[in-house]
Amino acid sequence: MSEPVLSVKNLVVEFPSRNAVFRAVDGVSFEIMPGEILGVVGESGAGKSMTGSAVIGLIDRPGHIAGGEIRLQGERIDDLPEEIKAKLRGKRIGMVFQDPLTSLNPLYTIGRQLVETIRTHLPLSEEQARRRAIDLLAEAGIPKAAERIDSYPHQFSGGMRQRVVIALALAGEPELVIADEPTSALDVSVQAQIIKVLKKLCASRGAAVMLITHDMGVIAQTADRMVVMHRGKIVETGTVADIIRRPREPYTIKLIDSIPTILRKPGEAFPPAVAANDDSAFVRIKGLVRDFEFAMAPFARLRGKTETFRAVDDVSFSIPKGKTFGLVGESGSGKSTCAKMIVGLLPPTAGQIFVDGHDVWAGALGRRQRRRSVQMIFQDPYASLNPRWRVKDIIAEPIRALGLSRNRGEIEARVAELLEKVRLDPAAMRKFPHEFSGGQRQRIAIARTLSSQPEFIVCDEPTSALDVSVQAQVLDLMSALQEEFGLTYLLISHNLAVVRQMSSNVGVLHNGVLVENGPVDEIFENPRADYTRKLLDAVPDISKVA
Amino acid sequence: MLTFILRRLLQSIVVMLVVAFVAFLIFRFVGDPVSSMLGQDSTMADHEQLRERLGLNDPFYLQFFRFVANALQGEFGISYRLQQPVTQLILERLPATIELAFASATIALVFGIVLGIYTALRPRSLETAVVMTVSLVGVSLPTFLIGIGLIYVFAVELKMLPSFGRGEVVNLGWWRTGLLTQSGLRSLILPAITLSLFQLTLIMRLVRAEMLEVLRTDYIRFARARGLSKRAINFGHALRNTLVPVITIAGLQLGSVIAFAIITETVFQWPGVGSLFVNSVQVVDVPVMAAYLVFVALVFVVINLIVDILYFLVDPRLRDGAKSGR
């Protein structure tokens, strides 16, 4: 039996604050064998990223390791002086971060960043390092690596940048790679490729991987063993298949249950399928088109020369009253542009949008009608609530802006009622948004949406910023409210499982074109368009566990 | 890139025209120049004749056009006070102001950036606390007080440095420099420090704030996770990202150092453009004021143009943005 690459024993990480000590990691022990991929799952705040930071020695002050030991190849590393620890980084332990858009220095070419890293760790000349960098990029799946090495990070797409980040992390030939949410910021179809690249590169070098993620689907497809973390502690350890099929701890069971899956659970009632493009439907979208113009050189513009990019191309669908229509697609497919046109934030180039028979873009009357009956829920509950306003004012804003009521007592009573509807304590109305968690904030956002008594709500990625278990609660709330008020939803999401769980009909958007549109089960079971099939295949899902 | 610069140039021309218009309006609002040029005992006929000769009877737009045309050739008329061509007056005094401005800008940039980096990298040290506290003094004290204080300490009490003037100067063609003589250099020290102090603290605080921000970013974390040396991270990766906003502020500050050195020049009796302007204001010497206004605008427009071009050199993202015309 060979020695583990990494062994962590009783690790404790503490953050002292003014009057208390917060234990971010509390007695964590695990081992990773050579070539093994260990998945670490848990919700945000569970201490999984902190464990990774502790191993590589990058805990931000005032946090520090307060106990336990970390051994790399049997040799203790947590008590080494900072200079020696710094030499381990990149050389023996590599790290991949979550967001490829921010992990590369925007001002230097990727080649320069690679060469710099390679030469820090290996005794190579500039020329040799450059050749090595090209090889690494090619291995990471960057086409025409020799030409692209002198490009800047912003000239690459998100998925390509993450390949560059992986190449950088592996540049010093480390024996252990810590991947902290390496695919969470990427599209589904790109996610699968990145996981493949990471797996392949680590396997070819025999490097062990510590894969930190909140996405159980990613772990199911990638890891050999996994640990489940909750509030700084490991609650369960075992092989991936074991834990997913037979979770023992109540927390693990809850976590796995709350994951939406794209396969329908047996015995679940099928929502009745409804005919698409029905003329009597509550919401009708007809031939929606949106062009964006690129301004060319100033003189070309004078001659009327512009280059246009068609973000949304002839999209038509309809939603019957009280139903949910799911709109899926990758980033850049035009989903959000559609949403903006439907709620009236962006004028369409062509096409019409009817809500309850009114054209929302028809003059002042249409606008007034639209403001009251169409509302929107945004993706990021941290950014969509004004941090300087009290919850009461946030929720009451649509009531005041639309002049639905001017009576102070009446408004307050209405806000209290709305808070109860979204399962929050009415006393919350006197607090500020920062006093709430992400899930609670999204409920406040929903309460604000409901305050003008809309009939149609556009939800743009309403749960993608939330943890899985919180996501389940918010989705449940949305369904309950739909039943109670007969709301009609347009649900925009890149998460196919969420869409399957919530919608009766679904449309698949690809490069601005609606490639497929129909009842949700039909499309998920028998996708006709190639793109839909590709999208469905790429979804990491716990049901795909080996 | 080229279209971008062309567009900026067009915008600059518009700005200059607007400023020229304002300068031109000054002429018309401070009263009739004819009555101040002719004596008390002149006749109406004399007035009329002079008005005709100066073109003051022409329509408004024609006069403005003539003003701009003259300005383009560097003609701003004759100073009322000194009876010399305004352009010549300004050019004579320009070297003094520019030498002072560049000396103080250099002090401000070098010390501002070095101290800014130092205080950002050692946020908890005693030195940082001291520098930050002292810098507060630099921001809050008015320039003239600092100047008088320096004169008192170094010129009056210690008798180390001269308290006024430029010292001996050497003529290099039309450029009269004080940088080549010992007394010229010694005279430069106090005014340059006085003028630079505010800019220095401003740049230092800006660099520090930006650097702290950049050090928190993901790419710096990633650079550390790759095991790069401290020097490579702090000076290779962090510093350059810090510079983009610093260039903007430093550029504008350099502009205001050249244009508004008035107070420092007055305190130290520095024979520059600023003191010329102050003296002209006192006697309502309109041609000098108008020319000064146009000159200041030109300084700002040119510096802004240079700042925009520097952006391109520092930030590759802008280069691509310009290619697609956005």
Short mmCIF file of all heavy atoms in Angstrom, two decimals, chain B residues 113-145:
data_model
loop_
_atom_site.label_atom_id
_atom_site.label_comp_id
_atom_site.label_asym_id
_atom_site.label_seq_id
_atom_site.Cartn_x
_atom_site.Cartn_y
_atom_site.Cartn_z
N ILE B 113 4.05 57.19 -5.43
CA ILE B 113 3.91 55.79 -5.81
C ILE B 113 4.69 54.90 -4.84
O ILE B 113 4.18 53.89 -4.36
CB ILE B 113 4.35 55.58 -7.27
CG1 ILE B 113 3.33 56.24 -8.20
CG2 ILE B 113 4.47 54.10 -7.60
CD1 ILE B 113 3.66 56.15 -9.66
N VAL B 114 5.92 55.29 -4.52
CA VAL B 114 6.73 54.46 -3.62
C VAL B 114 6.05 54.33 -2.25
O VAL B 114 5.87 53.22 -1.73
CB VAL B 114 8.14 55.06 -3.46
CG1 VAL B 114 8.88 54.39 -2.32
CG2 VAL B 114 8.91 54.90 -4.76
N LEU B 115 5.63 55.46 -1.70
CA LEU B 115 4.98 55.40 -0.38
C LEU B 115 3.66 54.66 -0.45
O LEU B 115 3.30 53.93 0.47
CB LEU B 115 4.76 56.82 0.17
CG LEU B 115 6.01 57.53 0.68
CD1 LEU B 115 5.67 58.95 1.09
CD2 LEU B 115 6.60 56.77 1.86
N GLY B 116 2.93 54.86 -1.55
CA GLY B 116 1.64 54.18 -1.71
C GLY B 116 1.83 52.67 -1.69
O GLY B 116 1.12 51.94 -1.00
N ILE B 117 2.82 52.19 -2.44
CA ILE B 117 3.08 50.75 -2.49
C ILE B 117 3.51 50.26 -1.11
O ILE B 117 3.02 49.24 -0.61
CB ILE B 117 4.18 50.44 -3.52
CG1 ILE B 117 3.69 50.77 -4.92
CG2 ILE B 117 4.58 48.98 -3.45
CD1 ILE B 117 4.78 50.70 -5.96
N TYR B 118 4.40 51.02 -0.49
CA TYR B 118 4.92 50.58 0.80
C TYR B 118 3.79 50.44 1.82
O TYR B 118 3.65 49.42 2.50
CB TYR B 118 5.96 51.58 1.31
CG TYR B 118 6.58 51.17 2.61
CD1 TYR B 118 7.69 50.33 2.61
CD2 TYR B 118 6.06 51.60 3.83
CE1 TYR B 118 8.25 49.93 3.81
CE2 TYR B 118 6.62 51.20 5.02
CZ TYR B 118 7.72 50.37 5.01
OH TYR B 118 8.27 49.96 6.18
N THR B 119 2.93 51.47 1.90
CA THR B 119 1.87 51.42 2.90
C THR B 119 0.83 50.35 2.57
O THR B 119 0.18 49.83 3.46
CB THR B 119 1.16 52.78 3.03
OG1 THR B 119 0.80 53.21 1.73
CG2 THR B 119 2.06 53.80 3.66
N ALA B 120 0.70 50.03 1.28
CA ALA B 120 -0.26 48.98 0.92
C ALA B 120 0.29 47.60 1.29
O ALA B 120 -0.45 46.72 1.72
CB ALA B 120 -0.59 49.04 -0.57
N LEU B 121 1.60 47.41 1.10
CA LEU B 121 2.17 46.09 1.36
C LEU B 121 2.35 45.82 2.85
O LEU B 121 2.39 44.68 3.28
CB LEU B 121 3.52 45.94 0.65
CG LEU B 121 3.44 45.93 -0.88
CD1 LEU B 121 4.81 45.72 -1.48
CD2 LEU B 121 2.49 44.83 -1.36
N ARG B 122 2.51 46.88 3.64
CA ARG B 122 2.67 46.68 5.09
C ARG B 122 1.57 47.45 5.80
O ARG B 122 1.84 48.43 6.48
CB ARG B 122 4.02 47.20 5.54
CG ARG B 122 5.16 46.40 5.02
CD ARG B 122 6.46 46.71 5.75
NE ARG B 122 7.49 45.76 5.40
CZ ARG B 122 7.97 45.60 4.17
NH1 ARG B 122 7.48 46.33 3.20
NH2 ARG B 122 8.90 44.69 3.92
N PRO B 123 0.32 47.02 5.65
CA PRO B 123 -0.80 47.82 6.16
C PRO B 123 -0.79 47.96 7.68
O PRO B 123 -1.41 48.86 8.22
CB PRO B 123 -2.04 47.07 5.66
CG PRO B 123 -1.57 45.70 5.35
CD PRO B 123 -0.12 45.78 5.00
N ARG B 124 -0.11 47.07 8.36
CA ARG B 124 -0.20 47.12 9.82
C ARG B 124 1.02 47.71 10.49
O ARG B 124 1.08 47.78 11.71
CB ARG B 124 -0.39 45.70 10.35
CG ARG B 124 -1.83 45.26 10.34
CD ARG B 124 -1.86 43.75 10.36
NE ARG B 124 -2.81 43.27 9.36
CZ ARG B 124 -4.08 43.04 9.63
NH1 ARG B 124 -4.54 43.23 10.81
NH2 ARG B 124 -4.90 42.62 8.68
N SER B 125 2.03 48.10 9.71
CA SER B 125 3.27 48.51 10.37
C SER B 125 3.17 49.91 10.94
O SER B 125 2.28 50.70 10.59
CB SER B 125 4.43 48.44 9.38
OG SER B 125 4.32 49.51 8.47
N LEU B 126 4.10 50.22 11.82
CA LEU B 126 4.14 51.53 12.46
C LEU B 126 4.42 52.62 11.42
O LEU B 126 3.80 53.69 11.43
CB LEU B 126 5.24 51.53 13.53
CG LEU B 126 5.40 52.83 14.30
CD1 LEU B 126 4.20 53.03 15.21
CD2 LEU B 126 6.69 52.83 15.11
N GLU B 127 5.35 52.32 10.48
CA GLU B 127 5.71 53.30 9.45
C GLU B 127 4.46 53.73 8.68
O GLU B 127 4.26 54.91 8.40
CB GLU B 127 6.73 52.73 8.47
CG GLU B 127 8.11 52.49 9.04
CD GLU B 127 8.24 51.09 9.62
OE1 GLU B 127 7.20 50.50 10.00
OE2 GLU B 127 9.37 50.57 9.69
N THR B 128 3.63 52.75 8.35
CA THR B 128 2.41 53.05 7.60
C THR B 128 1.54 54.01 8.39
O THR B 128 1.03 55.00 7.84
CB THR B 128 1.64 51.76 7.30
OG1 THR B 128 2.47 50.93 6.52
CG2 THR B 128 0.35 52.05 6.57
N ALA B 129 1.37 53.73 9.66
CA ALA B 129 0.52 54.59 10.48
C ALA B 129 1.08 56.02 10.48
O ALA B 129 0.32 56.98 10.33
CB ALA B 129 0.46 54.04 11.91
N VAL B 130 2.41 56.14 10.60
CA VAL B 130 3.02 57.47 10.63
C VAL B 130 2.80 58.18 9.29
O VAL B 130 2.33 59.32 9.24
CB VAL B 130 4.54 57.34 10.93
CG1 VAL B 130 5.22 58.69 10.72
CG2 VAL B 130 4.76 56.84 12.33
N VAL B 131 3.11 57.46 8.19
CA VAL B 131 2.97 58.08 6.87
C VAL B 131 1.54 58.52 6.63
O VAL B 131 1.27 59.62 6.15
CB VAL B 131 3.43 57.09 5.77
CG1 VAL B 131 3.03 57.59 4.40
CG2 VAL B 131 4.92 56.88 5.83
N MET B 132 0.59 57.67 6.99
CA MET B 132 -0.81 58.01 6.74
C MET B 132 -1.24 59.24 7.55
O MET B 132 -1.98 60.08 7.05
CB MET B 132 -1.72 56.83 7.09
CG MET B 132 -1.56 55.61 6.19
SD MET B 132 -1.66 55.98 4.44
CE MET B 132 -3.40 56.30 4.26
N THR B 133 -0.77 59.32 8.77
CA THR B 133 -1.14 60.47 9.59
C THR B 133 -0.54 61.75 9.03
O THR B 133 -1.23 62.76 8.88
CB THR B 133 -0.65 60.27 11.04
OG1 THR B 133 -0.97 58.95 11.43
CG2 THR B 133 -1.30 61.26 11.97
N VAL B 134 0.76 61.68 8.71
CA VAL B 134 1.42 62.87 8.17
C VAL B 134 0.75 63.29 6.86
O VAL B 134 0.57 64.48 6.59
CB VAL B 134 2.92 62.59 7.95
CG1 VAL B 134 3.56 63.75 7.19
CG2 VAL B 134 3.61 62.39 9.29
N SER B 135 0.34 62.29 6.06
CA SER B 135 -0.25 62.63 4.77
C SER B 135 -1.55 63.40 4.95
O SER B 135 -1.92 64.21 4.12
CB SER B 135 -0.49 61.37 3.96
OG SER B 135 -1.66 60.72 4.40
N LEU B 136 -2.25 63.13 6.05
CA LEU B 136 -3.47 63.88 6.33
C LEU B 136 -3.16 65.36 6.44
O LEU B 136 -3.90 66.21 5.95
CB LEU B 136 -4.09 63.41 7.64
CG LEU B 136 -5.20 62.38 7.55
CD1 LEU B 136 -5.77 62.13 8.93
CD2 LEU B 136 -6.29 62.87 6.62
N VAL B 137 -2.04 65.66 7.08
CA VAL B 137 -1.62 67.06 7.21
C VAL B 137 -1.40 67.65 5.82
O VAL B 137 -1.85 68.76 5.52
CB VAL B 137 -0.33 67.14 8.05
CG1 VAL B 137 0.15 68.59 8.13
CG2 VAL B 137 -0.55 66.56 9.42
N GLY B 138 -0.73 66.86 4.95
CA GLY B 138 -0.45 67.35 3.60
C GLY B 138 -1.72 67.68 2.85
O GLY B 138 -1.77 68.66 2.10
N VAL B 139 -2.77 66.87 3.06
CA VAL B 139 -4.01 67.13 2.33
C VAL B 139 -4.73 68.33 2.90
O VAL B 139 -5.32 69.13 2.19
CB VAL B 139 -4.92 65.89 2.38
CG1 VAL B 139 -6.20 66.14 1.62
CG2 VAL B 139 -4.21 64.70 1.79
N SER B 140 -4.68 68.47 4.23
CA SER B 140 -5.58 69.44 4.83
C SER B 140 -4.99 70.85 4.91
O SER B 140 -5.74 71.81 4.99
CB SER B 140 -6.02 68.96 6.22
OG SER B 140 -4.89 68.59 6.97
N LEU B 141 -3.66 71.00 4.91
CA LEU B 141 -3.11 72.35 5.00
C LEU B 141 -3.16 73.05 3.64
O LEU B 141 -2.84 72.44 2.63
CB LEU B 141 -1.66 72.31 5.47
CG LEU B 141 -1.42 72.10 6.96
CD1 LEU B 141 0.06 72.23 7.26
CD2 LEU B 141 -2.22 73.08 7.79
N PRO B 142 -3.52 74.33 3.61
CA PRO B 142 -3.53 75.04 2.33
C PRO B 142 -2.10 75.28 1.83
O PRO B 142 -1.18 75.40 2.63
CB PRO B 142 -4.23 76.36 2.64
CG PRO B 142 -4.14 76.51 4.11
CD PRO B 142 -4.06 75.14 4.70
N THR B 143 -1.96 75.35 0.50
CA THR B 143 -0.64 75.44 -0.11
C THR B 143 0.15 76.65 0.39
O THR B 143 1.35 76.54 0.67
CB THR B 143 -0.80 75.57 -1.64
OG1 THR B 143 -1.76 74.63 -2.05
CG2 THR B 143 0.50 75.31 -2.34
N PHE B 144 -0.51 77.81 0.51
CA PHE B 144 0.27 79.00 0.87
C PHE B 144 0.86 78.88 2.27
O PHE B 144 1.96 79.31 2.54
CB PHE B 144 -0.58 80.27 0.73
CG PHE B 144 -1.68 80.40 1.75
CD1 PHE B 144 -1.44 81.01 2.96
CD2 PHE B 144 -2.96 79.93 1.47
CE1 PHE B 144 -2.46 81.15 3.89
CE2 PHE B 144 -3.96 80.04 2.40
CZ PHE B 144 -3.72 80.64 3.61
N LEU B 145 0.13 78.18 3.16
CA LEU B 145 0.62 78.02 4.52
C LEU B 145 1.87 77.15 4.52
O LEU B 145 2.86 77.44 5.20
CB LEU B 145 -0.47 77.39 5.37
CG LEU B 145 -0.34 77.68 6.86
CD1 LEU B 145 -0.62 79.13 7.14
CD2 LEU B 145 -1.29 76.79 7.64
#
